[in-house]
Amino acid sequence: AAKTFTGEFYSALDNERTRISSFYGPDAGVVWNGNPVSSGQDVSAFYAKMPPTKFDVQSYDAQPIQPDGRGSCSFLLAVSGQVRIGPESAPMRGFSDTFVMKPDAKEPTRFLIATQGFRLVV
């Protein structure tokens, strides 16, 4: 689940931001580089205003958190790599992104972002 999510999420950020809200649970909380972003439409609007990006995921790690009683389990996902924000001439910068992923109540084999904390690395 972590590998699939990581590939699809960062690809959507780079190429299909109109899909980005489908990755978030209805009450998801996001903190992007220290700035809180509310859930729902605010997340979509936030990413829509962001300059173009190119993410290069270099590592990820997932750890189970808590079973949901239906045979699935929430998990913590830590992702790191480099990102270019802005034109192709912009430098790549390190990033760290941490997620709590919860099973979708309607489709327990699918996971949605419950919380996300993104940081650019100095």
Side-chain angles (χ1 to χ4, degrees), residues 5-112:
F5 168 81
T6 301
E8 290 178 4
F9 180 75
Y10 292 103
S11 177
L13 277 178
D14 287 344
N15 303 306
E16 297 181 81
R17 291 204 183 145
T18 56
R19 288 184 345 121
I20 209 69
S21 64
S22 69
F23 291 91
Y24 290 88
D27 299 322
V30 178
V31 177
W32 206 91
N33 214 37
N35 301 297
V37 180
S38 299
S39 61
Q41 296 300 321
D42 290 342
V43 172
S44 294
F46 173 78
Y47 284 121
K49 293 177 186 175
M50 185 184 293
T53 57
K54 176 60 179 156
F55 281 88
D56 178 19
V57 173
Q58 296 173 346
S59 68
Y60 64 90
D61 182 54
Q63 298 296 323
I65 297 176
Q66 179 178 1
D68 69 355
R70 297 177 303 166
S72 195
C73 182
S74 297
F75 65 93
L76 178 72
L77 175 62
V79 181
S80 63
Q82 295 198 327
V83 62
R84 179 178 53 241
I85 301 173
E88 288 191 27
S89 60
M92 295 291 279
R93 295 187 61 188
F95 77 90
S96 173
D97 213 352
T98 305
F99 304 88
V100 172
M101 306 295 297
K102 286 188 170 182
D104 185 338
K106 298 174 188 166
E107 190 181 337
T109 58
R110 180 172 184 255
F111 291 86
L112 299 173

